[in-house]
Amino acid sequence: AKFGFCFCGLQVSYLTWGYMQELIMTTQFEPTERVPSGMFPSAAFCVFSNRFLAVLVAMIAVKIKHGAVFSHNVAPLWAFTPCALSNTMSSWSQYASLKYVSFPVQTVFKSSKIIPVMIMGKLLKGTTYPYGQYIEALLITVGVAIFSVASKTSSRDTSTEIIGLVFLLMYICFDSFTAQWQDKVYQQY
C-alpha cells in the first residue's frame, strides 16, 4: 500500500510538473514593453522557484526523519557545490529548451541520457560497463534520434531547432554530472 501511494504520488507530481513546465514556457501571454514576444521571459525564475520549493520540502523531510536539519552532516557543504551548480544549470537548460522544442520531444530526448551518464561515471568514478551496455545505450540513442527527426515539422526554423537541441545537450550533460557527483559524494562520506 505504501509503495502504491508513493508510486502514484510521484506520477501525479511529475505529470503535473511537466504539464505546468511546458504550459508556462510555451504560452503566449500579453506582450509588454519589457517582453514584446509575450513569452515567459525567465527560465532562471522557474529554476529558482523549483529549487526554493525543493529546499523547503527537503528541510521539512530531514527535520521529520532526523529531528534536525544541520546537526548530522558528515560531508562538508563544499563537497555539494559542483553538483548544486550543475543541477541548477541542468534545470535552466531544460526550461530554456522548452521555448524551442516540445515537451514530448524533450522527454524522449532525455532517454538518450544514458550515454552521458556512462561517460560521467567513467570520468568521475572510474566505473566500467560491459560492452553490451554500450551497445544498448547506443541503440536507445539512435531510437531517440529517429523519433526527434521524424517529429520535425517543416514550419519550424532550423536555427531555432538547433538551439533547442543545444539546450537539451547541456541539460543532459549537466544532469549526468549531477547524478554521478552525488553518488561520488555519498560513497566518500
Side-chain angles (χ1 to χ4, degrees):
K2 186 176 181 182
F3 175 77
F5 176 77
C6 291
F7 175 80
C8 290
L10 282 172
Q11 294 305 311
V12 168
S13 297
Y14 281 132
L15 289 171
T16 303
W17 174 54
Y19 174 76
M20 293 306 295
Q21 184 181 22
E22 182 172 20
L23 184 68
I24 290 168
M25 297 306 290
T26 60
T27 298
Q28 179 82 28
F29 297 101
E30 177 131 357
T32 64
E33 281 185 36
R34 295 186 73 197
V35 187
S37 69
M39 299 304 288
F40 191 80
S42 179
F45 177 77
C46 291
V47 173
F48 172 77
S49 300
N50 183 298
R51 294 297 170 257
F52 184 75
L53 182 60
V55 167
L56 288 178
V57 170
M59 289 176 77
I60 292 167
V62 169
K63 177 75 173 162
I64 290 170
K65 185 167 174 93
H66 300 291
V69 176
F70 295 109
S71 65
H72 301 298
N73 291 349
V74 176
L77 289 179
W78 62 264
F80 295 100
T81 302
C83 65
L85 293 174
S86 66
N87 191 307
T88 300
M89 288 304 298
S90 168
S91 294
W92 178 84
S93 301
Q94 180 183 15
Y95 280 108
S97 73
L98 280 174
K99 292 180 181 179
Y100 307 104
V101 297
S102 69
F103 186 74
V105 169
Q106 183 191 74
T107 302
V108 172
F109 197 89
K110 288 178 186 181
S111 67
S112 69
K113 188 172 78 170
I114 191 167
I115 291 176
V117 166
M118 293 170 85
I119 293 168
M120 290 295 176
K122 182 112 175 116
L123 293 174
L124 294 176
K125 301 183 313 183
T127 306
T128 57
Y129 302 95
Y131 288 111
Q133 285 187 356
Y134 285 110
I135 292 169
E136 289 172 6
L138 181 64
L139 291 174
I140 290 170
T141 302
V142 168
V144 168
I146 290 170
F147 176 83
S148 296
V149 170
S151 66
K152 178 180 168 184
T153 60
S154 60
S155 63
R156 297 184 83 175
D157 184 13
T158 303
S159 63
T160 300
E161 291 177 1
I162 290 171
I163 195 165
L165 292 176
V166 168
F167 283 135
L168 284 174
L169 286 171
M170 288 172 52
Y171 159 71
I172 287 173
C173 291
F174 283 124
D175 200 49
S176 299
F177 175 86
T178 300
Q180 295 293 338
W181 187 268
Q182 286 173 331
D183 193 40
K184 182 179 178 178
V185 169
Y186 294 141
Q187 287 176 356
Q188 284 181 329
Y189 300 99

